[in-house]
């Protein structure tokens, strides 16, 4: 998987095993990719797919058991000190700051870990705070910040050393819409104007679709698809089929047996007395077969239409099939 | 080789600790509670049995228990808490030398504990007027070296606590009282007046606080000057240096093990 | 039974919490270390002070007095502070607000946690007392007087139980603060242990404290609990066991009643001010 321009992150045959109760658990199974400078690169995958493992290896927190990875040309295994000078990372699930000092002093402290002179650090902190809407809260103690502002401070920390590459793990998880949007706009600005490479691991399809230049979908430690969001959506071929079905159903297991159905999701609206099921199909014939299968169960198809696939549907199509296979394997 | 990044990191970590302590004045009240009360209780014990000449031992013990408590709860287990909060990963993925972070924590911890220690001293002095026969040069040097070796031990413990994870909290509770007893915070645990058999005295002597307390009592209450306590001072100095290197080496080793086994960024719940 | 169930469930949870960090046997064994060391420290202070001072003679009975007192004040301190831990930790783990939202008051949860800690602390304190008795006898080369019979053991057990209301009451007072506090509640255990050392007659008679502090200290239920245990275990003890037990129980129940009122008031105020589910710094 290639990218244009200077390569910031390069991974080849990356493999990581962990000791399990019986046989080793393979968290990454031969992942290869290249990420260019100034790219926002999304990594999507279900829980346990290997996203966080890959980020931990690239950020030098974890050693690979096979393959290699380079960040800005430095090997993560053999040159971790050089890698650490050019990276930073942040996770949405952490508060990562010292409670009893102000947000500003927390940011100053972390800047010192990168050897940044105080005058320069102060200037950067003010600039970052302006961009992230954090200025008014800089003097508040960290514990007194709301979740949203704490997360803004965490993002600011991730950029205080002007890193060449930033690793972000679910940076907007649990945040309100406005805060999440502010952070996304900030990330885009950092990538476009400052040329920073951002590796973004997320479950938020809409976020990944909105800001990522390219996306890799990981499942069971392997990249199963990669490309721009548009390329991935087009790769499904036929658009999705959407059906509104009455009466509401908790499951649509009958669709798993229909040839040509790649995956599906459903939701129920009790007030309207309907379930809505979105089915990713290979062909028009598969769409018709899926509709027939629903009707054969005595359900009424109130409405149906075709639509362009979303990234979520791509994800479900690729990984949803894996879930079913995984369940069968677990039963055996 | 530039020392600037090292010094910058050390200074920053020390300042974080000091801002946390002095930014919340209540923290001083909070941290002095047990040292003041335990020192008061044990001073009253010496007083109540008519051994008033030893009340000073209890006051001195209360002063040092402030630092010992700081070493255990704010040094040794600090990296464990940092790991819980995701801060330890930030340290590891930054170019900052871990030794600078450790020393910064120690410097901040020592300065931050001084108010509590002064309050214990003040209360003890006002209530009991303990008899003092001090060779002040020796006292200051002994005190400095005792703190240096004690905090170096704290740095070493911090790496071990990292390995132990959740058990770290319980380890603190296990360690606090036995070390207080063996190190002779309130009575001589080594030497001719110790109640312990030689084997226990030998084991206790491996704790920097034991040597330090013994030397502090000699210089503060018996007027021994540097020339008379130099063996203790030499041992403390060697302990400080050895433990400092051991802490940095152990942390580096654990970091490598953690990177290999994938345990660095694991939150222990 | 409906009131007992949450208490018992909380007690079970408390035992899991206290000993689950390692194997139960190791966990209990390690919990003996701290009270053992604490008892040894104060006993040795007595021995050192008397054997190195010409003004006072070493008295094994006084040593036994101190040994019993130091073990028992630590016993009280170790389970009286559990409400602080239960509430503070519960808030941080987001468990406490959910307990609050059940049909029972959080007081049942707190009481259950205190009871579980009482059980563990009783086992470890008794073990520590026995170990310290043996170690001191060996190190100091002295026979420490003690009346160890079935009757004296039963009297001590009764005293331990009689002290529960008082310790529970102390715990609820601390819990009332923790409900409302957002920081530093972790320091309370140190204060509790320190205050008990000074005011419960654990290490020295309360009469040496200045009046009227000595009077208040003398009639604290914790002081009477320790006195009752001494009266059971020390031959030739001058006090009256029945009186001590009565004062312990009476004082303990009085503290418990007051503390429950304070706790419920704190719960109401915490709800009014929206701090039940406030995470702690």
């Amino acid at each position: 998987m290639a990218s244009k321009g200077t390569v910031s992150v390069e991974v080849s045959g990356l493999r990581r095993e962990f000791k399990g109760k019986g046989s080793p658990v393979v968290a990454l199974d031969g992942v290869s990719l290249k990420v260019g400078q100034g790219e926002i690169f999304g990594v999507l995958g279900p829980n346990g797919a290997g996203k966080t493992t890959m980020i931990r290896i690239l950020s030098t927190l974890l050693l690979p058991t096979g393959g290699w990875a380079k960040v800005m040309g430095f090997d993560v295994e053999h040159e971790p000190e050089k890698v650490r000078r050019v990276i930073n990372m942040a996770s949405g699930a952490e508060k990562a700051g010292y409670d009893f000092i102000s947000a500003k002093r927390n940011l100053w402290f972390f800047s010192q870990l990168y050897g940044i002179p105080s005058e320069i650090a102060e200037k950067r902190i003010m600039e970052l705070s302006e961009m992230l809407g954090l200025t008014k809260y800089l003097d508040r103690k960290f514990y007194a910040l709301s979740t949203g502002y704490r997360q803004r401070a965490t993002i600011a920390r991730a950029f205080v050393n002007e890193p060449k590459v930033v690793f972000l793990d679910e940076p907007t998880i649990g945040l309100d819409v406005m805060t999440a949007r502010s952070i996304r706009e900030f990330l885009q600005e950092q990538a476009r104007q400052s040329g920073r490479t951002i590796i973004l691991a997320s479950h938020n399809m809409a976020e990944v679709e909105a800001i990522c230049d390219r996306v890799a979908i990981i499942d069971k430690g392997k990249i199963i698809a990669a490309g721009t969001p548009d390329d991935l959506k087009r790769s499904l071929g036929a658009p999705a089929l959407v059906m509104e079905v009455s009466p509401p159903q908790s499951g649509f297991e009958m669709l798993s047996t229909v040839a040509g159905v790649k995956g599906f999701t459903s939701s129920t609206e009790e007030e309207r007395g309907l379930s809505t099921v979105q089915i990713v199909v290979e062909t028009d014939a598969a769409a018709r077969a899926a509709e027939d299968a629903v009707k054969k169960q005595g359900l009424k198809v109130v409405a149906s239409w075709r639509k362009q696939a979303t990234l979520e549907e791509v994800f479900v199509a690729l990984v949803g099939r894996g879930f079913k296979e995984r369940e069968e394997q677990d039963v055996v | 080789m530039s020392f600037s990044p090292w010094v910058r990191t050390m200074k920053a970590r020390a300042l974080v600790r000091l801002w946390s302590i002095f930014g919340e004045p209540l923290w001083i009240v909070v941290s002095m509670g047990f040292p003041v009360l335990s020192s008061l209780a044990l001073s009253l014990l010496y007083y109540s049995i008519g051994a008033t000449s030893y009340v000073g031992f209890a006051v001195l013990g209360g002063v040092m228990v402030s630092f010992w408590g700081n070493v255990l709860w704010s040094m040794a287990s600090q990296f464990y808490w940092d790991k819980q909060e995701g801060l330890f990963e930030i340290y590891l993925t930054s170019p900052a030398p871990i030794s600078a972070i450790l020393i910064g924590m120690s410097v901040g911890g020592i300065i931050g504990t001084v108010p509590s220690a002064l309050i214990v001293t003040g209360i003890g002095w006002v209530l009991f007027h303990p008899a003092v026969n001090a060779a002040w040069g020796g006292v200051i040097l002994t005190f400095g070296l005792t703190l240096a070796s004690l905090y170096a031990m704290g740095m070493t413990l911090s790496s071990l606590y990292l390995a132990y994870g959740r058990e770290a909290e319980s380890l603190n509770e296990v360690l606090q009282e036995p070390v207080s007893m063996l190190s002779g915070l309130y009575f001589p645990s080594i030497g001719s007046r110790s109640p312990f058999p030689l084997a226990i005295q030998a084991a206790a002597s491996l704790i920097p606080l034991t040597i330090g307390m013994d030397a502090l009592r000699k210089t503060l209450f018996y007027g021994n000057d540097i020339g008379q306590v130099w063996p203790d001072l030499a041992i403390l100095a060697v302990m400080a240096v050895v433990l400092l290197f051991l802490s940095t080496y152990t942390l580096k080793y654990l970091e490598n093990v953690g990177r290999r086994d994938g345990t660095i960024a694991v939150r222990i719940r | 039974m409906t009131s007992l169930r949450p208490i018992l469930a909380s007690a079970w949870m408390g035992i899991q919490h206290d000993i689950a960090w390692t194997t139960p046997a190791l966990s209990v064994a390690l919990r003996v270390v701290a009270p053992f060391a604490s008892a040894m420290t104060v006993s040795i202070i007595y021995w050192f002070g008397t054997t190195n001072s010409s003004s006072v003679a070493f008295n094994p009975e006084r040593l036994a007095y101190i040994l019993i007192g130091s073990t028992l004040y630590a016993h009280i301190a170790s389970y009286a502070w559990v409400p602080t831990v239960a509430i503070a930790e519960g808030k941080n783990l987001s468990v406490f607000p959910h307990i609050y939202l059940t049909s029972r008051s959080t007081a049942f949860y707190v009481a259950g946690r205190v009871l579980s800690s009482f059980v563990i602390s009783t086992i470890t304190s008794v073990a520590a007392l026995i170990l310290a008795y043996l170690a001191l006898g060996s190190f100091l080369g002295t026979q420490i007087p003690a009346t160890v019979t079935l009757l004296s053991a039963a009297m001590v057990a009764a005293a331990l139980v009689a002290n529960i209301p008082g310790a529970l009451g102390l715990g609820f007072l601390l819990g009332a603060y923790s409900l409302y506090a957002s920081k530093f509640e972790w320091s309370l255990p140190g204060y509790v242990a320190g205050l008990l050392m000074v005011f419960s007659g654990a290490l020295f008679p309360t009469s040496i404290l200045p009046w009227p502090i000595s009077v208040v200290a003398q009639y604290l239920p914790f002081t009477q609990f320790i006195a009752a245990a001494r009266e059971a275990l020390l031959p030739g003890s001058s006090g009256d066991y029945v009186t001590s037990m009565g004062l312990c129980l009476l004082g303990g129940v009085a503290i418990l009643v007051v503390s429950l009122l304070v706790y419920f008031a704190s719960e109401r105020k915490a709800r009014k001010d929206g701090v039940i589910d406030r995470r702690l710094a």
Side-chain angles (χ1 to χ4, degrees):
Chain A
M1 184 171 59
S3 63
K4 297 180 226 173
T6 316
V7 172
S8 296
V9 175
E10 193 175 352
V11 173
S12 176
L14 199 65
R15 190 176 166 79
R16 174 69 213 196
E17 287 181 10
F18 290 98
K19 287 179 201 164
K21 279 183 182 156
S23 48
V25 173
V26 179
L28 278 184
D29 193 4
V31 165
S32 298
L33 57 87
K34 285 183 189 177
V35 183
Q37 190 178 335
E39 231 187 313
I40 302 181
F41 188 87
V43 181
L44 279 175
N47 292 329
K51 310 186 293 295
T52 304
T53 302
M54 188 173 77
I55 285 185
R56 286 167 74 194
I57 291 174
L58 293 172
S59 61
T60 74
L61 285 173
L62 186 62
L63 288 172
T65 40
W68 54 264
K70 288 185 181 179
V71 175
M72 298 306 294
F74 302 119
D75 189 291
V76 300
E77 185 176 353
H78 303 297
E79 300 175 291
E81 292 83 15
K82 290 180 182 167
V83 171
R84 288 167 186 175
R85 280 191 209 124
V86 296
I87 65 166
N88 208 324
M89 62 182 288
S91 169
E94 296 157 358
K95 68 170 186 179
Y98 287 103
D99 278 331
F100 293 115
I101 60 174
S102 65
K104 188 174 179 185
R105 281 178 166 174
N106 264 288
L107 291 171
W108 172 84
F109 166 66
F110 290 114
S111 73
Q112 299 306 288
L113 300 183
Y114 293 90
I116 301 168
S118 290
E119 315 77 51
I120 298 174
E122 292 252 356
K123 191 161 156 279
R124 274 194 212 162
I125 289 166
M126 294 315 294
E127 281 166 6
L128 288 166
S129 302
E130 278 288 330
M131 286 190 251
L132 287 162
L134 188 57
T135 314
K136 267 189 350 183
Y137 301 91
L138 278 177
D139 291 323
R140 277 211 199 157
K141 293 206 174 146
F142 208 68
Y143 74 80
L145 293 175
S146 66
T147 309
Y149 284 100
R150 210 176 285 159
Q151 191 55 15
R152 290 180 204 235
T154 301
I155 299 292
R157 181 194 50 70
F159 288 85
V160 79
N161 62 317
E162 295 189 332
K164 299 276 191 289
V165 181
V166 181
F167 301 100
L168 299 174
D169 198 345
E170 307 266 17
T172 60
I173 192 169
L175 298 181
D176 63 83
V177 168
M178 292 308 295
T179 306
R181 192 171 163 177
S182 298
I183 289 175
R184 284 197 286 272
E185 283 168 0
F186 170 80
L187 295 178
Q188 283 176 303
E189 200 179 315
Q190 287 293 312
R192 308 276 173 270
Q193 293 182 9
S194 309
R196 296 193 214 296
T197 304
I198 297 173
I199 312 282
L200 172 68
S202 181
H203 281 129
N204 187 330
M205 310 288 173
E207 176 171 271
V208 167
E209 199 166 341
I211 67 169
C212 290
D213 299 307
R214 286 189 304 136
V215 177
I217 298 179
I218 288 189
D219 188 30
K220 291 189 193 173
K222 286 187 196 298
I223 292 181
I224 54 175
T228 65
D230 280 343
D231 288 342
L232 288 173
K233 286 186 279 190
R234 276 193 291 271
S235 73
L236 278 190
L241 168 69
V242 183
M243 287 191 288
E244 286 183 341
V245 170
S246 170
Q249 296 294 300
S250 58
F252 287 85
E253 291 77 17
M254 76 291 281
L255 292 173
S256 309
T257 58
V258 176
V261 166
K262 287 188 171 181
F264 58 90
T265 58
S266 65
S267 59
T268 298
E269 292 171 77
E270 294 288 352
E271 307 82 43
R272 291 179 64 205
L274 292 173
S275 284
T276 304
V277 55
Q278 292 191 112
I279 309 165
V280 179
V281 291
E282 284 177 342
T283 60
D284 288 347
R288 284 193 295 274
E291 198 165 336
D292 288 342
V294 167
K295 285 174 181 170
K296 269 194 196 138
Q297 295 298 311
L299 300 168
K300 185 179 171 198
V301 177
V302 173
S304 68
W305 64 93
R306 308 296 288 275
K307 75 178 187 68
Q308 180 68 35
T310 64
L311 202 54
E312 179 171 359
E313 283 147 9
V314 175
F315 182 87
V316 168
L318 292 167
V319 176
R321 201 159 47 187
F323 279 154
K324 183 170 166 259
E325 287 158 12
R326 202 178 294 135
E327 279 167 27
E328 284 168 5
Q329 273 179 331
D330 288 344
V331 166
V332 167
Chain B
M1 185 174 105
S2 167
F3 287 107
S4 174
W6 195 97
V7 171
R8 201 181 291 284
T9 300
M10 190 273 293
K11 188 180 117 186
R13 188 61 186 91
L15 277 172
V16 162
R17 178 136 290 184
L18 292 173
W19 284 330
S20 295
I21 292 170
F22 295 112
E24 295 273 344
L26 199 57
W27 177 253
I28 297 169
V29 175
V30 153
S31 61
M32 77 180 198
F34 184 73
V36 164
L37 290 167
S38 63
S39 175
L40 179 63
L42 298 175
S43 300
L44 282 169
L45 177 57
Y46 271 123
Y47 182 82
S48 71
I49 61 177
T52 49
S53 53
Y54 297 113
V55 167
F57 284 25
V59 175
L60 177 64
V63 168
M64 296 311 289
V65 103
S66 306
F67 290 102
W68 170 229
N70 183 253
V71 164
L72 208 50
W73 295 97
S74 299
M75 275 289 301
S77 33
Q78 184 62 45
F79 276 162
Y80 162 72
W81 294 115
D82 283 346
K83 191 171 166 182
Q84 291 294 93
E85 301 292 334
L87 288 159
F88 190 64
E89 287 172 18
I90 299 171
Y91 289 142
L92 287 185
T93 54
S94 76
I98 209 85
S99 58
I101 294 170
L102 285 170
I103 301 235
M105 277 160 56
S106 301
V107 169
I110 290 172
I111 298 173
T113 308
V114 164
S116 175
L118 285 174
I119 289 168
V120 172
T121 309
I123 291 174
W125 185 261
V126 164
L127 290 177
F128 301 105
H129 303 293
V132 164
N133 175 16
W136 288 108
V139 170
I140 291 167
L141 187 60
T142 306
F143 186 66
L145 283 171
T146 303
L147 287 185
S149 55
L150 183 62
Y151 276 81
M153 184 175 94
M155 289 187 226
T156 311
L157 285 175
S158 72
S159 55
L160 296 175
Y161 275 38
L162 209 52
Y164 274 105
R166 191 76 171 97
E167 291 85 349
E169 277 182 320
S170 306
L171 277 175
N172 272 357
E173 290 171 25
V174 172
L175 277 181
Q176 185 156 8
E177 289 296 335
V179 169
S180 296
M181 177 188 76
L182 287 172
S183 60
L185 277 176
Y186 306 101
F187 58 86
S189 62
I190 56 175
S192 58
R193 296 191 294 177
S194 167
F196 299 130
L198 277 175
I200 293 180
Q201 289 190 42
S205 301
L206 295 174
I207 307 169
L209 197 52
T210 310
I211 308 291
M213 287 306 300
D214 201 52
L216 274 169
R217 279 188 285 263
K218 285 178 194 167
T219 53
L220 193 56
F221 300 114
Y222 298 103
N224 287 191
D225 58 26
I226 294 173
Q228 290 166 289
V229 296
W230 72 264
D232 300 311
L233 299 181
I235 293 171
L236 286 171
V238 166
M239 278 181 165
V241 171
V242 166
L243 287 168
L244 185 59
F245 276 109
L246 189 62
S247 66
T248 312
Y249 172 78
T250 312
L251 266 170
K252 199 71 199 161
Y253 170 77
L254 282 171
E255 180 193 333
N256 290 336
V257 166
R259 287 177 80 209
R260 192 193 65 211
D261 296 344
T263 51
I264 281 183
V266 174
R267 307 280 175 274
I268 316 292
R269 293 275 171 230
Chain C
M1 195 60 186
T2 51
S3 293
L4 208 49
R5 188 184 294 278
I7 295 177
L8 291 175
S10 302
W12 171 85
M13 219 286 292
I15 288 178
Q16 297 301 308
H17 173 274
D18 285 350
I19 65 174
W21 63 279
T22 181
T23 61
L26 183 63
S27 172
V28 172
L30 289 174
R31 287 174 81 94
V32 174
V33 171
F36 166 74
S38 169
M40 289 289 288
T41 298
V42 293
S43 303
I44 292 172
I45 285 174
Y46 172 75
W47 170 84
F48 172 77
T50 51
T51 54
N52 288 275
S53 180
S54 55
S55 55
V56 60
F58 174 77
N59 182 347
E61 276 184 19
R62 186 65 185 270
L63 180 67
Y65 174 100
I66 289 169
L67 179 58
I68 292 167
S70 60
T71 316
L72 293 181
Y73 97 79
H75 163 73
I76 303 168
S78 74
Y79 72 90
W81 75 294
V82 162
T84 307
V85 170
I87 292 169
E89 200 176 67
K91 279 191 179 187
N92 264 349
L93 297 174
S94 303
V95 166
F96 189 75
H98 295 286
I99 293 170
Y100 177 80
L101 291 174
T102 62
S103 57
R104 298 291 174 183
S105 161
T106 57
F108 289 91
Y109 169 68
V110 166
R113 291 291 300 265
V114 170
L115 287 172
S116 68
S117 211
F118 165 78
V119 168
I120 294 172
S121 177
T122 299
I123 295 168
T124 56
S125 298
V126 168
L129 181 59
I130 294 168
L131 279 173
Y133 177 88
L134 294 170
L136 284 168
S138 167
F139 291 160
L140 307 182
T142 187
Q143 181 73 21
I144 304 173
T147 307
V148 183
T149 62
L150 226 69
L151 176 63
S152 66
M155 288 164 76
V156 170
L160 283 164
V161 172
N163 188 52
I164 291 176
L168 205 46
L170 177 60
F172 276 120
L173 283 174
L174 298 175
Y177 172 74
S178 293
L179 270 177
Y180 218 81
S182 63
K183 48 189 176 180
F184 302 143
E185 67 292 332
W186 302 103
S187 66
L188 291 179
Y191 269 95
V192 168
L195 288 168
L196 284 169
M197 272 175 100
V198 177
F199 297 111
S200 66
L203 309 182
F204 42 79
T206 53
S207 54
I208 75 158
L209 298 169
W211 186 92
I213 297 173
S214 57
V215 176
V216 173
Q218 178 60 27
Y219 289 102
L220 286 175
F222 315 114
T223 310
Q224 295 301 319
F225 155 62
I226 293 174
R230 283 182 178 131
E231 281 138 20
L233 290 171
L234 292 180
S237 178
S238 59
D240 177 29
Y241 176 79
V242 172
T243 306
S244 299
M245 285 287 283
L247 287 170
C248 173
L249 211 46
L250 222 63
V253 168
I255 287 182
L256 181 58
V257 167
V258 169
S259 69
L260 276 172
L261 291 171
V262 171
Y263 186 86
F264 291 137
S266 178
E267 229 181 7
R268 280 193 299 275
K269 188 156 175 23
R271 181 187 173 196
K272 186 169 155 240
D273 294 343
V275 300
I276 296 266
D277 57 344
R278 177 173 60 186
R279 293 195 61 158
L280 304 172

